[in-house]
Amino acid sequence: MPLLTGAEPFHHEGGETAVLLCHGFTGSPQSLRPWAEHLAGHGLTVSLPLLPGHGTRWEDLRVTGWQDWYAEVDRELRLLLDRCPRVFVAGLSMGGALALRLAALHGDAVSGVVVVNPANRVHGVAAHALPVLRHLVPATKGIASDIAKPFQTELGYDRVPLHAAHSLRAFLRRLDGELPRVTQPLLLLRSPQDHVVPPADSARVLARVSSVDVTEVLLEQSYHVATLDHDAERIFQESTAFIGRLSPGTVKEPGLGKEGTTAGG
């Protein structure tokens, strides 16, 4: 299936410090593209892949699972590690969960973690019925575009395939047991008003990780997709400062980074 316009992956060849960005469930790289472009503008190497089953139609997501999504970001991380001595992982929602698992499994190879409204579990009574319900109902209403900023939209599916939701639930349960293996510096940014992922998920992440260097930032003016919301610029600035603190001298002023490329399709 052809990609939706705006759902293309983003890649930028910058300096020796890299950032891998992971988008959320039923979303696309569009939700993180401004963040990716900001990091690239500061001279960092950036990779923002498109997760399998995303960016086309919801039926394509139905036949994928967490193993496919994780394999894609794991592959991208390994490619970055081959080229860059310092690699940070970051993500929104499920993308934050993927970033945390990369940190848990790759250890010291990951220099730091930045997550925005990270998911920790699938909520609601229906979540417990997913093992059976997914065989009876193909999809439910979508979760995209939870944004406070007027006229701003997220490029995501208007339906959530329940087979994929069931796989997401299994992934988050697995990740919860792996969170104590996360020891890297962690920047967690969360929206108190989030209609997709409740504050309890961020609290659980903070309680479970073993990181000593932890910073929590509240995004008071934004909903779930904060990377496209009123607090987007704060996310960009906080993450850039976080990377600069841990990797001194690698964050450049805009326009002074190495020439790079973007790739779509």
Side-chain angles (χ1 to χ4, degrees):
M1 290 295 297
L3 290 182
L4 298 171
T5 302
E8 302 85 4
F10 176 96
H11 300 283
H12 177 87
E13 292 294 334
E16 293 187 344
T17 293
V19 185
L20 170 59
L21 293 172
C22 310
H23 70 75
F25 183 62
T26 75
S28 74
Q30 177 261 356
S31 62
L32 300 184
R33 187 174 297 270
W35 191 7
E37 292 174 345
H38 173 90
L39 296 170
H42 283 273
L44 300 166
T45 291
V46 181
S47 178
L48 170 53
L50 174 66
L51 300 179
H54 292 76
T56 52
R57 56 178 191 163
W58 71 262
E59 291 89 346
D60 295 329
L61 182 58
R62 188 183 183 191
V63 296
T64 66
W66 75 262
Q67 296 92 339
D68 303 302
W69 315 324
Y70 181 76
E72 180 65 19
V73 296
D74 184 79
R75 183 182 70 86
E76 288 292 327
L77 175 61
R78 293 175 188 275
L79 291 173
L80 290 174
L81 289 171
D82 285 341
R83 305 197 307 273
C84 300
R86 293 171 298 274
V87 180
F88 292 79
V89 295
L92 166 69
S93 194
M94 181 188 76
L98 292 171
L100 287 164
R101 188 166 202 254
L102 289 171
L105 271 56
H106 286 271
D108 292 342
V110 171
S111 297
V113 187
V114 182
V115 292
V116 179
N117 295 323
N120 180 257
R121 58 175 294 194
V122 175
H123 295 268
V125 176
H128 299 285
L130 278 174
V132 174
L133 194 60
R134 65 193 176 108
H135 297 293
L136 305 174
V137 180
T140 187
K141 66 178 181 179
I143 57 174
S145 287
D146 184 35
I147 301 172
K149 190 174 183 179
F151 311 113
Q152 182 68 276
T153 59
E154 178 189 17
L155 184 62
Y157 296 147
D158 60 0
R159 304 289 288 169
V160 175
L162 295 193
H163 278 296
H166 174 68
S167 184
L168 172 61
R169 180 171 181 255
F171 167 64
L172 294 177
R173 293 175 72 178
R174 175 184 291 260
L175 172 64
D176 190 67
E178 297 169 338
L179 285 177
R181 297 170 60 181
V182 176
T183 60
Q184 298 90 341
L186 171 64
L187 171 61
L188 186 149
L189 306 102
R190 66 174 181 87
S191 305
Q193 298 184 78
D194 187 327
H195 305 98
V196 178
V197 173
D201 283 33
S202 288
R204 176 72 175 179
V205 169
L206 292 173
R208 294 283 288 163
V209 298
S210 299
S211 305
V212 175
D213 183 344
V214 176
T215 304
E216 180 182 14
V217 175
L218 295 185
L219 306 172
E220 300 280 3
Q221 305 302 317
S222 300
Y223 293 163
H224 183 62
V225 191
T227 50
L228 295 177
D229 217 326
H230 293 294
D231 293 296
E233 193 62 33
R234 184 168 188 197
I235 294 171
F236 306 162
Q237 293 173 356
E238 293 280 358
S239 60
T240 303
F242 176 77
I243 294 167
R245 174 170 66 83
L246 296 171
S247 186
T250 63
V251 177
K252 312 298 182 183
E253 290 300 316
L256 297 181
K258 178 183 175 181
E259 285 295 318
T261 60
T262 61

